Amino acid sequence: MRFTFALFSTCMAVVLTAADAAQLRSVAERAGPAVIAVRVVSSVNLTIMGQNRALDQETDAVGVVVDPSGLCVVMLNDLDPSAMFKAMLGGNPMIKIDSQLKEASYRLADGSEVPAELAIKDAELGLAVLRPKTAGTTYPALAPQAGAKIQLGDRVTAVSRAPRFVTATVLVNEILVNGAVAGPQPYAIVSQGATTSAAICNNDGQLIGVLSSKSPPAKEANKAAEMDPMAGLTSAMEAKNLVPVAIIRPADALRKLIDQAKAAPATPAVPVAPAAPATKP
């Protein structure tokens, strides 16, 4: 199978040798089939100073298929646009925002769409897992590598997809791990933006993590806004360096999330009312 892909570098000049470029092409060919475009429609309800507005928002997201059954990891912000804003706004009584996943579908390389549903979401990880509404199809998948470590100074490859208007081309991006945080839920920090998810792979094209995003605690965001109310929340947060950062959630965290998704009950079918008996004229 042939893939069209593009190379991007981050924040520093990176000179690629012929061997480097060949390595990235190899990663793209191995990981690309399991990195898919995901169409998401969310119902968003926004209330500002008592004025309410409801709308449907369609988003082109990126998902990583992590199981042949079609389980697909996506960034939670893509399914729930209100998640990041809630974290930023905290308990601000003047602004309320809520959203709900209305529909989702996988856009596959052959142009077909597969209706999907939410299996599980984890606000702490900033990730969610989708699954096809109809079982029985086998999908190209990347199994998270147990025990894979991502350390400060590592160079890893992010495999993603471009927007639809450039044909959802496979993108590969060599990125530098700028920091590593230990703890019950360890993660790595990178300078790459995190507008949507990506598979994080090693040189063999194996899945060692996924790109996610971490927002500042709500109390810190509110404190920034209170200190400079005229600047607005976003400007105040930027001034205090409280903007969301791009992080990598490691493979072991994904494996636990996948196990939970497999155990999650299927969405019950909506009962269909029986048709009324025909009446004679």
Side-chain angles (χ1 to χ4, degrees):
M1 186 177 295
R2 297 180 61 188
F3 295 92
T4 304
F5 65 97
L7 306 181
F8 288 81
S9 60
T10 58
C11 296
M12 63 176 64
V14 177
V15 178
L16 294 180
T17 66
D20 293 333
Q23 183 69 60
L24 289 174
R25 285 192 291 270
S26 175
V27 172
E29 289 173 359
R30 177 164 182 172
V35 180
I36 62 174
V38 179
R39 174 179 164 272
V40 175
V41 180
S42 302
S43 296
V44 181
N45 196 310
L46 177 64
T47 303
I48 302 177
M49 299 181 67
Q51 299 296 313
N52 180 266
R53 183 184 179 192
L55 54 93
D56 285 349
Q57 175 177 306
E58 182 170 337
T59 304
D60 285 333
V62 172
V64 182
V65 180
V66 291
D67 187 83
S69 67
L71 291 179
C72 181
V73 176
V74 296
M75 195 179 293
L76 182 57
N77 289 346
D78 286 331
L79 298 190
D80 182 5
S82 70
M84 181 176 67
F85 290 104
K86 283 180 179 178
M88 293 168 60
L89 294 169
N92 190 327
M94 306 299 289
I95 305 175
K96 295 182 179 180
I97 182 169
D98 289 291
S99 64
Q100 188 173 30
L101 178 64
K102 186 173 183 179
E103 60 183 87
S105 60
Y106 302 166
R107 286 192 167 115
L108 304 181
D110 62 5
S112 62
E113 287 203 20
V114 176
E117 64 184 7
L118 178 66
I120 194 171
K121 61 182 179 180
D122 189 312
E124 184 177 1
L125 294 180
L127 299 171
V129 180
L130 298 174
R131 62 185 167 208
K133 285 188 173 182
T134 303
T137 301
T138 300
Y139 298 86
L142 287 171
Q145 297 300 297
K149 303 296 183 184
I150 303 175
Q151 303 180 72
L152 173 66
D154 284 352
R155 288 194 178 277
V156 295
T157 301
V159 183
S160 187
R161 287 211 175 249
R164 273 182 295 164
F165 63 84
V166 282
T167 68
T169 294
V170 174
L171 302 178
V172 292
N173 187 355
E174 186 182 56
I175 57 179
L176 175 68
V177 176
N178 303 112
V181 178
Q185 292 286 8
Y187 58 90
I189 302 171
V190 296
S191 58
Q192 161 150 332
T195 55
T196 191
S197 195
I200 302 300
C201 299
N202 59 20
N203 287 341
D204 295 322
Q206 297 172 322
L207 186 67
I208 58 174
V210 295
L211 192 66
S212 184
S213 177
K214 190 171 183 63
S215 298
K219 63 180 182 180
E220 295 296 331
N222 285 340
K223 187 184 298 183
E226 290 169 1
M227 292 178 65
D228 191 0
M230 299 303 293
L233 179 62
T234 302
S235 298
M237 289 178 66
E238 289 175 348
K240 297 296 179 182
N241 198 25
L242 291 174
V243 294
V245 297
I247 64 172
I248 298 172
R249 292 294 183 182
D252 283 343
L254 299 182
R255 290 167 62 87
K256 294 178 183 177
L257 190 64
I258 294 165
D259 288 342
Q260 293 170 3
K262 288 180 176 179
T267 302
V270 178
V272 178
T279 56
K280 295 182 180 180

